[in-house]
Amino acid sequence: MPLDQAHVEEEEFDGEKEMTFLEHLEELRWHLIRSIAAIFIFMIVAWFIKEWVYGSIIMGPSKVDFWTYRKMCEIGRLLHIDSLCLQELKFDVQNREISGQFMLAITSSAIIGLLIAFPYVIWEIWSFIKPGLRASEKRAARGAVLIISLLFFSGVLFGYYIVTPFAVHFMVNFQLDPSIVNQYDIKNYLSILTTLTLACGLMFQLPVVIMVLTKIGIVTPSFLKEYRRHAFVVILIVAAVITPSPDMISQILVAIPLYFLFEVSILVSNRIYKDNLKQLEDEHI
């Protein structure tokens, strides 16, 4: 290898000091400690406002005055469709364990802490990975923390305000016989709420993943278009896995935005791919 080329490749690492395996482990340990500390701090904050968290946020989709249901009713009035106005949710939420509510308070506080601390946790992960990347790889991932955080919170909001209310509405109002009364355990309700919202938050990361893979040359737009049908099948399988119950409405509500994100990822991949080609052409001029 020519000396000039070797010198350029060395500079691509921005002069980062090479670390031993044990030093990497120590660095990772501190990143994890800081991430856990941030989650714990927000967990404590959520604990002190747990009554508001449960009354307004967690139990929100179980109440007929929830934002989504009110907007549905407004749309129904404009379209003169009275069935869109929700009159009641036919179910009761119960706690069946002595320590159930106390443990649920801890669990929900931990979940809230993780959600709020998510951008900081991602930043800590990025800070650990960044020194080992080449300059071109760092440029490809520029602004990744902000984009990932925005997409994650967009997915969480979509799951909370769209997917969860429709899933809850369908499941609790589906009735085989009027004599059957719906009485659900609070753990089951919290599991559905958490799974759907967090799953949507993670699903919304698909464009970022495709963008990075295209930037480093692993994925191309033609590849994504060629396997579009296969991707649709995989999306249906993923939707069936991440939904906590076997009802079709939950799976469809999860599959639709995921497929939409896949189509958006194709557009993102096409844009990045053209930029890569243009960059190669400029280097050869």
Side-chain angles (χ1 to χ4, degrees):
M1 179 184 294
L3 292 177
D4 292 342
Q5 183 176 353
H7 179 68
V8 170
E9 291 186 357
E10 289 178 0
E11 287 183 344
E12 286 186 337
F13 288 95
D14 295 337
E16 296 286 351
K17 179 183 177 181
E18 186 174 350
M19 301 171 64
T20 65
F21 178 73
L22 292 178
E23 288 174 334
H24 276 295
L25 288 180
E26 180 66 13
E27 185 72 14
L28 176 61
R29 185 173 74 92
W30 280 107
H31 284 294
L32 292 176
I33 290 175
R34 288 191 292 267
S35 298
I36 295 173
I39 295 173
F40 186 72
I41 290 173
F42 287 114
M43 176 181 173
I44 294 175
V45 174
W47 171 267
F48 282 105
I49 57 172
K50 56 183 178 296
E51 290 82 5
W52 177 83
V53 168
Y54 256 88
S56 301
I57 298 180
I58 294 179
M59 300 305 297
S62 68
K63 302 175 181 178
V64 293
D65 61 347
F66 186 59
W67 181 87
T68 304
Y69 302 139
R70 288 190 280 109
K71 293 303 177 183
M72 287 174 55
C73 189
E74 292 177 6
I75 295 174
R77 290 170 181 170
L78 291 174
L79 300 177
H80 301 287
I81 304 176
D82 295 335
S83 59
L84 290 181
C85 283
L86 184 63
Q87 301 298 327
E88 64 175 331
L89 289 170
K90 302 176 182 178
F91 77 109
D92 295 320
V93 178
Q94 298 182 352
N95 170 54
R96 302 177 186 276
E97 299 178 7
I98 294 178
S99 61
Q101 294 197 45
F102 177 76
M103 295 306 299
L104 284 171
I106 295 178
T107 302
S108 60
S109 297
I111 294 172
I112 296 296
L114 175 60
L115 288 175
I116 299 176
F118 181 82
Y120 179 78
V121 173
I122 293 298
W123 182 81
E124 285 289 351
I125 295 174
W126 169 246
S127 299
F128 175 72
I129 297 175
K130 185 178 179 180
L133 300 179
R134 295 179 181 275
S136 59
E137 294 170 337
K138 293 178 183 178
R139 289 193 297 269
R142 186 175 299 165
V145 174
L146 177 61
I147 295 173
I148 291 174
S149 299
L150 290 176
L151 287 174
F152 176 77
F153 286 121
S154 297
V156 168
L157 291 175
F158 179 83
Y160 180 73
Y161 283 105
I162 304 298
V163 179
T164 300
F166 279 94
V168 170
H169 176 267
F170 173 81
M171 288 184 290
V172 302
N173 287 301
F174 181 82
Q175 197 170 35
L176 295 174
D177 187 85
S179 64
I180 302 175
V181 179
N182 292 327
Q183 295 180 334
Y184 303 119
D185 191 283
I186 182 61
K187 286 185 177 180
N188 181 250
Y189 173 81
L190 182 62
S191 175
I192 292 175
L193 177 65
T194 303
T195 302
L196 291 178
T197 53
L198 292 182
C200 289
L202 295 177
M203 286 191 313
F204 271 55
Q205 304 304 314
L206 182 60
V208 174
V209 175
I210 296 299
M211 179 185 69
V212 175
L213 292 178
T214 303
K215 191 69 177 180
I216 61 181
I218 296 179
V219 171
T220 62
S222 58
F223 173 84
L224 296 175
K225 294 176 182 178
E226 181 180 357
Y227 289 94
R228 180 185 272 125
R229 295 181 180 178
H230 301 79
F232 182 73
V233 176
V234 173
I235 287 171
L236 292 177
I237 295 174
V238 171
V241 170
I242 65 177
T243 48
S245 55
D247 64 286
M248 289 297 296
I249 189 68
S250 298
Q251 297 173 12
I252 292 173
L253 286 173
V254 171
I256 289 175
L258 186 55
Y259 184 76
F260 173 77
L261 287 171
F262 178 78
E263 293 294 336
V264 171
S265 299
I266 294 178
L267 298 177
V268 172
S269 178
N270 187 57
R271 175 66 181 272
I272 298 298
Y273 186 73
K274 289 181 179 179
D275 291 342
N276 287 346
L277 291 179
K278 183 178 180 180
Q279 184 177 356
L280 289 175
E281 291 176 357
D282 294 340
E283 290 176 355
H284 285 86
I285 294 177

